Each structure stands twice: as C-alpha cells, then as structure tokens.
Amino acid sequence: MADEKYHILVVDDSESAREHVRIYLSETNIKAAFAENGPQAIKKAKSNPFDLILLDVQLPDINGIEICKILKSDMRTKDIPVIFVTVASDKESLVAGFQAGAVDYITKPFKKEELLARINTHLKIKRYMEELIVAKKKAEESEKMKMAFLSNMSHEIRTPMNSIIGFAELMQDENLPAEERKEFASIIINSGEQLLSIIDEILEVSKEEAGELRLFEQKFSLRKFLGQLQTIFINRVKDKPVEIVLDIQEDVPDIILTDKVRLKQIMDNLLSNAAKFTDKGKIEIGCRLLPKNLPLLEFYVKDTGVGIPKGKHDTVFERFTQVEENLTQNFRGTGLGLSIVKRLVIFLGGSVSLDSEPGKGSTFTFRIPYKKPEKMTFGYAPEKEKRPDLLPKNIWEGKTILIADDVVQIFVFFRETLKKTGVKMLYAKDGKEALDLYHHHKKEIDAALIDIQMPEKNGLEVAKAIRKEDKALPLIAQTGLALNIGKKESMEAGFNDIIYKPIKLGQLVKILRKYLG
Ligand code: ADP
C-alpha cells in the first residue's frame, strides 16, 4: 500500500478547506486534484481515473448529493468511491448521501487523522475489489479453458481407445486371415502410442507444476538425431504431398551435450504440429550455430501450412489454446503442445519465437545453449533398437533374471519377448516376494528388473536390501514416469540402470545385453 500512488479528487468551495486537505495529504502517497464547484468536479471526474472523491455536500451551484447521483449514473465514474464532507448537524444530507451511493462521510471541521484513516480505508477496499474482479475473471477464463480442454481430452482419449477395444475384439476371431491380423495389431499399437503421447503431455504439465523437471544432459550426434526425426516424420506425412527436408549448416558441431530427451520432445511437438497443419508443400527442419561469441544453437521448424494469425502468436504458447475451434475439430490436439515446448525451451536455458502468416505457413524458432561434450555416466539412452528376434536363439541359456512387478501383464510381456533367448525368469508380484525369491535363488540370479512402485516393499527398498548383501548383482529399475522418481533416487538406492515404461522391445534387449552379455 505504502508504495502505491493514489489519485483522489477533492471537491470543496472553501479555499481554506481545500488548503487543509492539501497539507494533510502532502505527507502521504496520495496525490490530490481539486474542484471548487459541481460542473468542474463532474468534468474532472469523467476525464481522470480517480481512486476516490472527497465531496463537500454544501456547494453553491449543484449540491453534493446531486453530483454524486450524476457520478454514479455514468459508466466512467460509477465505481469511484465517494466520501461526503458535511457539517455535523446535517443528518438529512447524510441519509441522502448514502442513498445517492456514497460509501462514507466525514464531518467538518475534520481532524487530519480521521480524514486520512477514512480515505485510506476506502482506497484499500477499492484496491481489493479491483484485485478480486481480476482474479474472478481469471478464474472464469481458466475454468472455461479447462472445460474445453476436458471435452477435447475426452475426445482425444476415446478415439484411440475405441480403436484399441474395437480391433482387439475383431482379433478374437480365430479365422481372421494373417494379413488382417497384422493390420489390426498395427492399428492397436498406433492407437496405444497415441494414448501414451497424450498421457506424456499431461504428465509433463503436472511435472512442470510440481517443479519436477530435471535436466539430464547426454552427448549424441545431432545430425543422426535430426536425421531420425526426418525419417519418422516423412513416414507420418506419407499420404500427403509434403516433403520434409533437413538443413543443417556446416559449422554446426555434430556431437553436442544437452538434454536429448527434452530436445526430442520439443522437436516432436513442433514437427507434429507442422505435419498436422500442412496439407501440401514443405516442412523444413533447420539448425545453425549463432555468431561465434554466443554458445547457442538455433533450431527451426518451418512449414507451408495453414499459418497462424498475428493476434494469436503469443496465445498459442499458452495452455489449452487452439487457434480455431472448428479447425481443431479436424486437427486433433490437446492445446498443450506449444506450452510444453515453451517451458522446455526455457528449462534448457533458451527462448522460442514464432513467425507466421495465415495461408503461407509458420516458422517456429528456438535457441538453446549447448556445451562441449563430456563423458556420460548413468542412464539408458535409446539409440539403435535391436529386435529380440534378431538375437541369436538361446543366447541367454543358463542365465536367470528376477522380474518384480505388481502388474502381471508386464511379466507376460517379458516372458513372451524373451522366450527365444532361453533365459530363466523368476517372477515376483510385490517387493516382499522379490526379496524372498532373491534369497532362495541368490546364487543363480544374473540380473534383476525391479519395478519401483510395488506393494509391500517398493523397488527402492528392495534394491537397498539386495545391495546390503550383494554389491555386484546388476539391478535395473523399471519406472512409469508418473512416479517422478528419477535416476538420482534410483542410483542412490543401488540400481545400476533405469528403464522407462512402456518398455519397448529393443530397449529391453539392449539393456539386458549390457548385463547378460
Ligand atoms: P495442439 O495439441 O492443439 O496442436 P499446440 O499447443 O501444439 O496444441 O498448438 C496450439 C494451436 O496452435 C494449435 O491448435 C493450432 O491452432 C496452432 N498451431 C500450432 N502449430 C501450428 C502450425 N505449425 N501451423 C498452424 N497452426 C499451428
């Protein structure tokens, strides 16, 4: 309050009264303007956004009550609080004043303390009212956006879910030709992946809100990384006359050190949008190094799609925002992608901008700092995926792994995937069983895959208990991102590695090769 400047209007025909008020206010943060009569007061009030009006009732031309009524009937002045100044004996004016819309009164001759106390109280109330109105408006807007988001989300989730259930039912037909079975399976996989990316988006937002984003830098080949993205997206737009080109300037270093997972999320979101909103033409993925003294890499995704009107350039980066409702009926989406992009770019220490014109296309550009690579220490980075059917048959004959997961389907997935390798699998459905199995088969177990979230004992507890007895056994944590338990906690508990659910075949095989040979 003390730092704010207030502006009030003092209306009084007596020069000495005005002078008194001027002196009293001179030591405060309240600036005063003065009017001697009704017309002057009304004119000034309508052309200045006053925070309060101190209004003498007895004026020579129009009396204060009438002035107050005029002020309260005008949009520009109706919300300015009015304090009446009267003589003590004039009780009638007081009642009329309140009826006309005044909030308070003060009797002449007034004391400095009383005057300031009344003025300050009403200035405070007015400020709070204004804040309340802004907060209410914000809450209403966010409620509206959430409702739109929820109904959109329901559609987003139902569509792939319907495909999964529908095609799985069709696959129950034993006479289904192999060709169709294959096709239906691939629809189910695609729909599952679609669902997963929606879940990832929602989790990403909740992680941001909980301040749970963590940087995990790793070194990788930028050209390979962008090349893989190009391939993925060429496949995504294969049914449209859209080409996807790569433009990496020569001086861009190949091996860089940054958070690859986050960079991929950013590029994925931008490219998904470009692919979604471009029907024909070109999508360009570019990367260049900024001038020598700035250790910044600039990436861009440029498309020849529908474009975005200028007025929406800032709001598209806000959550749940989609440019046109009827447009997005055709183009699915949650309205979260770009808000995630913006936050992730900022998280990586960079900035993002948009240049776009409706009908011509859009260019999203972001810059992030990059470092010279140092050696990587912990964590599994999915590079090339090795399919298990490409592994030599019975490669792990004689080896034993312990699998602990309360979701039996996960074990079934491991069992089916690793059948050909000849590995022996021990299954525990909770943390306690995992430790029991470990104690019974200690000598034969070559590695353990342990889920972090389990009943009885969680995965971190299981790992700690095993580590007390065996420092060398390879322990691999499995985790769903929802848990927000990251590499640091897993490493501290004694895990050697971490693998994220849903686990892909190639990922699983690669990590097991690392420990089983
Ligand atoms: P959504 O999940 O709806 O795609 P985003 O936050 O990623 O959410 O994008 C918000 C909105 O911005 C989109 O709905 C679309 O209207 C607009 N938009 C984003 N990228 C593009 C683009 N490349 N071309 C045209 N419009 C775009």
Side-chain angles (χ1 to χ4, degrees):
M1 190 91 181
D3 298 327
E4 287 177 83
K5 263 259 169 248
Y6 291 99
H7 199 194
I8 74 168
L9 176 66
V10 179
V11 187
D12 207 308
D13 59 333
S14 144
E15 189 174 351
S16 91
R18 295 198 302 270
E19 196 47 34
H20 269 103
V21 178
R22 191 196 307 276
I23 294 167
Y24 294 162
L25 294 180
S26 64
E27 294 156 20
T28 69
N29 58 345
I30 303 165
K31 207 176 119 202
F34 295 90
E36 297 171 22
N37 53 45
Q40 223 181 60
I42 294 165
K43 195 167 162 225
K44 286 197 173 175
K46 285 184 178 174
S47 48
N48 293 287
F50 289 111
D51 294 303
L52 184 141
I53 297 173
L54 195 63
L55 182 59
D56 187 18
V57 176
Q58 254 106 41
L59 289 171
D61 39 15
I62 332 174
N63 78 23
I65 313 281
E66 291 311 311
I67 298 175
C68 188
K69 282 183 189 161
I70 293 170
L71 294 175
K72 292 292 158 192
S73 64
D74 192 301
M75 277 303 287
R76 286 165 290 182
T77 51
K78 74 178 178 37
D79 292 326
I80 308 176
V82 173
I83 299 181
F84 270 121
V85 181
T86 70
V87 281
S89 54
D90 192 3
K91 292 271 183 261
E92 265 173 42
S93 299
L94 270 187
V95 176
F98 280 121
Q99 280 169 347
V103 290
D104 206 353
Y105 71 96
I106 183 161
T107 50
K108 268 182 180 173
F110 41 69
K111 283 218 166 82
K112 176 183 163 187
E113 289 71 24
E114 186 187 356
L115 176 76
L116 293 183
R118 288 191 194 264
I119 290 178
N120 275 325
T121 303
H122 290 287
L123 286 175
K124 252 189 216 165
I125 294 175
K126 180 165 183 271
R127 202 49 100 228
Y128 292 152
M129 288 287 282
E130 284 165 356
E131 284 171 11
L132 262 179
I133 289 168
V134 172
K136 184 168 170 264
K137 215 170 137 206
K138 263 196 179 160
E140 281 166 0
E141 266 167 24
S142 115
E143 186 59 19
K144 220 170 100 190
M145 277 194 339
K146 274 191 191 146
M147 289 317 287
F149 169 71
L150 281 179
S151 83
N152 191 23
M153 210 45 139
S154 152
H155 171 255
E156 285 300 297
I157 293 173
R158 270 170 206 283
T159 314
M161 207 63 202
N162 284 344
S163 302
I164 292 175
I165 297 171
F167 285 99
E169 271 174 6
L170 289 177
M171 282 176 78
Q172 283 179 330
D173 176 2
E174 279 165 16
N175 302 320
L176 198 68
E179 201 48 37
E180 281 182 28
R181 184 176 295 276
K182 223 169 139 190
E183 189 193 338
F184 294 173
S186 98
I187 294 174
I188 292 177
I189 292 169
N190 284 338
S191 308
E193 278 171 358
Q194 210 173 309
L195 270 182
L196 202 62
S197 75
I198 293 170
I199 292 168
D200 281 347
E201 279 192 355
I202 298 171
L203 283 177
E204 201 58 44
V205 173
S206 54
K207 264 204 217 164
E208 277 169 25
E209 292 205 327
E212 290 280 351
L213 281 186
R214 293 205 190 136
L215 195 67
F216 178 55
E217 291 179 327
Q218 54 180 303
K219 62 175 181 177
F220 60 93
S221 156
L222 191 60
R223 283 182 174 73
K224 203 159 124 193
F225 169 80
L226 293 177
Q228 282 169 351
L229 277 174
Q230 183 191 21
T231 312
I232 293 170
F233 280 88
I234 285 177
N235 194 42
R236 247 334 145 93
V237 296
K238 65 179 186 301
D239 299 328
K240 302 197 267 191
V242 175
E243 59 169 336
I244 300 202
V245 299
L246 207 53
D247 179 19
I248 307 173
Q249 280 188 359
E250 260 173 35
D251 56 350
V252 169
D254 187 36
I255 304 292
I256 63 162
L257 179 75
T258 188
D259 191 325
K260 184 182 175 190
V261 176
R262 302 299 178 199
L263 183 63
K264 179 155 188 304
Q265 272 177 297
I266 295 168
M267 291 301 287
D268 264 343
N269 272 304
L270 294 180
L271 283 165
S272 299
N273 280 343
K276 190 158 66 170
F277 295 104
T278 308
D279 277 339
K280 58 178 192 299
K282 192 164 86 172
I283 296 172
E284 199 174 313
I285 309 170
C287 181
R288 66 187 193 99
L289 200 57
L290 286 181
K292 306 278 172 287
N293 46 348
L294 292 172
L296 287 177
L297 272 178
E298 183 174 271
F299 295 83
Y300 66 87
V301 174
K302 183 174 176 182
D303 65 53
T304 54
V306 294
I308 300 170
K310 284 264 178 299
K312 303 272 182 178
H313 283 194
D314 289 332
T315 49
V316 287
F317 288 104
E318 286 167 17
R319 278 182 196 165
F320 313 136
T321 309
Q322 296 176 320
V323 170
E324 271 179 48
E325 269 160 37
N326 45 359
L327 189 70
T328 38
Q329 311 248 304
N330 303 328
F331 301 108
R332 292 190 343 268
T334 56
L336 288 175
L338 288 177
S339 77
I340 292 175
V341 164
K342 185 170 174 187
R343 278 152 208 262
L344 288 178
V345 170
I346 292 173
F347 175 67
L348 293 182
S351 58
V352 61
S353 62
L354 164 64
D355 183 22
S356 179
E357 218 179 297
K360 293 212 166 131
S362 316
T363 307
F364 286 88
T365 307
F366 64 95
R367 296 166 167 194
I368 52 165
Y370 77 98
K371 291 185 210 151
K372 291 264 175 297
E374 283 161 30
K375 71 176 188 324
M376 191 180 128
T377 49
F378 182 80
Y380 166 70
E383 282 291 336
K384 236 186 242 154
E385 299 210 338
K386 283 202 178 64
R387 291 183 55 83
D389 43 359
L390 296 181
L391 283 174
K393 212 167 171 245
N394 295 333
I395 176 179
W396 294 321
E397 181 103 68
K399 304 256 181 198
T400 302
I401 55 174
L402 168 65
I403 294 163
D405 201 308
D406 55 328
V407 181
V408 69
Q409 286 89 332
I410 299 275
F411 170 67
V412 175
F413 168 78
F414 283 126
R415 191 187 64 204
E416 293 307 305
T417 307
L418 300 175
K419 220 191 264 173
K420 289 184 191 137
T421 68
V423 70
K424 181 175 166 192
M425 284 170 259
L426 304 170
Y427 172 62
K429 68 171 181 342
D430 59 47
K432 195 175 157 297
E433 236 179 72
L435 279 180
D436 288 347
L437 273 178
Y438 166 73
H439 286 126
H440 277 100
H441 301 268
K442 245 191 232 195
K443 292 213 170 71
E444 44 171 315
I445 296 176
D446 296 290
L449 278 146
I450 299 168
D451 185 26
I452 289 187
Q453 191 176 31
M454 280 190 300
E456 303 293 338
K457 270 188 170 28
N458 72 35
L460 299 178
E461 291 170 309
V462 174
K464 280 181 198 158
I466 294 179
R467 274 292 167 255
K468 278 194 189 137
E469 300 177 38
D470 188 338
K471 298 269 176 275
L473 180 68
L475 297 180
I476 301 149
Q478 315 168 45
T479 176
L481 285 171
L483 250 183
N484 282 336
I485 289 179
K487 297 177 182 77
K488 195 167 155 273
E489 291 89 338
S490 316
M491 214 163 43
E492 280 165 5
F495 282 106
N496 302 77
D497 238 314
I498 188 161
I499 185 167
Y500 293 100
K501 289 177 181 177
I503 298 163
K504 293 248 171 74
L505 295 184
Q507 230 176 321
L508 176 65
V509 166
K510 181 166 178 177
I511 208 153
L512 285 176
R513 283 212 86 158
K514 192 164 151 189
Y515 296 105
L516 297 182

